[in-house]
């Protein structure tokens, strides 16, 4: 028994371990004319979402006036990760990021992006993928890093 709650239709549990699946069961009580009736709902499974994102530590870029720019994005490794997802935006607005790569190797901590337009900003973010048994969960987004490929 975690707690007894009266008059509420939601409950928050704190202190859960990230990327761990928990099973909860709810028992409802109804009081009618002095008698208490108990019911059960079905079991509920939930996974605590990891919040500690990786950090982008470097972006090395090169410019070729014919083929455009390239950027090599590097991030810190997450020990419990099974992979990473890399996103890009041209504006840096949080709702403007687009997935550009899913990396299914926990040891790969960099990505080379090519064909980038000259003199245009690119903002990159990374999320960590964790295995939660029957599904995957993702960390929060990393810090964002911006690169502009400028001709010399």
């Amino acid at each position: 028994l975690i707690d007894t709650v009266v008059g509420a239709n939601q409950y928050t549990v704190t202190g859960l371990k990230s990327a761990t699946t928990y099973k909860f069961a709810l028992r409802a009580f109804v009081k009618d004319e002095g008698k208490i009736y108990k019911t059960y709902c079905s079991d509920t499974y939930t996974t605590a979402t990891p919040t500690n994102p990786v950090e982008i530590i470097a972006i090395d870029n090169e410019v070729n006036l014919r083929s455009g720019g390239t950027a090599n994005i590097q991030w810190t490794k997450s020990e419990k990760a099974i992979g990473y997802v890399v996103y890009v935006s041209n504006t840096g607005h949080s709702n403007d990021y687009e997935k550009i790569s899913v990396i299914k190797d926990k040891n790969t901590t960099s990505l080379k992006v090519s064909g980038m337009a000259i003199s245009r900003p690119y903002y990159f973010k990374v999320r960590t993928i964790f295995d939660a048994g029957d599904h995957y969960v993702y960390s929060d987004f990393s810090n964002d890093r911006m690169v502009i490929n400028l001709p010399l």
Side-chain angles (χ1 to χ4, degrees):
L1 178 65
I2 293 177
D3 203 355
T4 302
V5 179
V6 178
N9 61 2
Q10 64 182 16
Y11 185 80
T12 302
V13 178
T14 59
L16 301 179
K17 239 173 106 180
S18 73
T20 303
T21 301
Y22 294 88
K23 178 180 174 180
F24 295 92
L26 172 72
R27 177 181 269 183
F29 293 89
V30 178
K31 190 172 186 179
D32 185 26
E33 296 182 9
K35 288 188 175 185
I36 297 177
Y37 299 94
K38 303 173 193 172
T39 62
Y40 281 100
C41 76
S42 61
D43 294 337
T44 302
Y45 294 87
T46 189
T47 303
T49 303
T51 56
N52 49 337
V54 295
E55 179 182 354
I56 296 177
I57 53 176
I59 297 182
D60 301 319
N61 61 315
E62 299 174 7
V63 177
N64 181 314
L65 293 177
R66 290 190 181 124
S67 62
T70 62
N72 187 38
I73 307 151
Q74 299 173 7
W75 56 88
T76 55
K77 182 178 179 179
S78 177
E79 290 303 318
K80 293 185 178 183
I82 62 165
Y84 303 93
V85 183
V86 181
Y87 298 83
V88 69
S89 167
N90 294 119
T91 66
H93 298 132
S94 61
N95 62 348
D96 196 31
Y97 279 84
E98 188 176 309
K99 184 187 316 181
I100 59 169
S101 183
V102 176
I103 299 165
K104 296 181 179 180
D105 177 6
K106 67 180 180 178
N107 296 312
T108 299
T109 57
S110 66
L111 176 70
K112 185 173 185 174
V113 179
S114 58
M116 299 167 59
I118 305 296
S119 300
R120 184 175 184 183
Y122 290 86
Y123 299 83
F124 294 95
K125 287 185 178 185
V126 178
R127 291 178 93 177
T128 308
I129 307 169
F130 297 95
D131 188 350
D134 61 346
H135 63 285
Y136 300 122
V137 291
Y138 300 86
S139 71
D140 290 339
F141 286 100
S142 70
N143 58 316
D144 65 346
R145 292 286 292 264
M146 190 263 295
V147 64
I148 298 177
N149 290 302
L150 297 174
L152 299 176

